[in-house]
Amino acid sequence: MAKETFHCSVITPERAVLETEATFVAFPAHDGEVGILPGRAPLLFKMGIGELRVESPEGNHNFFVDGGFAQMVENRLTLLTEQAKTVGEIDRAAAERALAEARDMPMVSDAEFAARQRAVRRAETQIHLAEAR
């Protein structure tokens, strides 16, 4: 018996990164992680920085995503994000340079502090995913 699926689309401003049928998806929300199964009630979430995991009958897909929005409607999950990289596309050396630069960012105002925190989180997540592959 075939597993029930739903359609999953991962889209950046440049291109559609992934179009597949999925059995499970986990994405970073702004306040934790959200898991999606077939038949999920409609939802709209603000995404955070982190790992996107997509399980499909053809195999699993792992991405680094950088914020955006996730919408589930009528068994179709659409993830709109500024950046989506497969784990294999992550350049660990570049992520380590970005982390060093992020740690040197000024933190005089609340906005600068928030920008620094996002940059550090972005770089640390990419380093972690690069190590895991």
Side-chain angles (χ1 to χ4, degrees), residues 27-41:
F27 63 86
H30 72 285
D31 60 352
E33 185 176 70
V34 176
I36 304 291
L37 291 168
R40 172 70 168 84

Side-chain angles (χ1 to χ4, degrees), residues 16-94:
V17 176
L18 180 68
E19 295 281 346
T20 190
E21 292 301 308
T23 55
F24 175 76
V25 173
F27 63 86
H30 72 285
D31 60 352
E33 185 176 70
V34 176
I36 304 291
L37 291 168
R40 172 70 168 84
L43 68 74
L44 180 63
F45 261 94
K46 180 179 177 186
M47 291 186 359
I49 296 167
E51 181 181 12
L52 165 66
R53 298 185 321 271
V54 179
E55 296 177 12
S56 74
E58 294 82 35
N60 297 340
H61 308 273
N62 294 63
F63 297 91
F64 163 78
V65 291
D66 189 1
F69 294 92
Q71 178 186 39
M72 179 72 163
V73 177
E74 297 179 0
N75 239 18
R76 295 183 65 82
L77 177 64
T78 303
L79 301 135
L80 303 174
T81 182
E82 282 296 314
Q83 184 179 180
K85 293 181 184 178
T86 65
V87 174
E89 291 174 324
I90 296 172
D91 180 347
R92 182 184 169 136

Side-chain angles (χ1 to χ4, degrees), residues 109-123:
S109 69
D110 289 344
E112 288 174 331
F113 176 77
R116 180 186 185 274
Q117 293 300 96
R118 283 191 305 274
V120 167
R121 173 84 173 132
R122 189 176 297 117

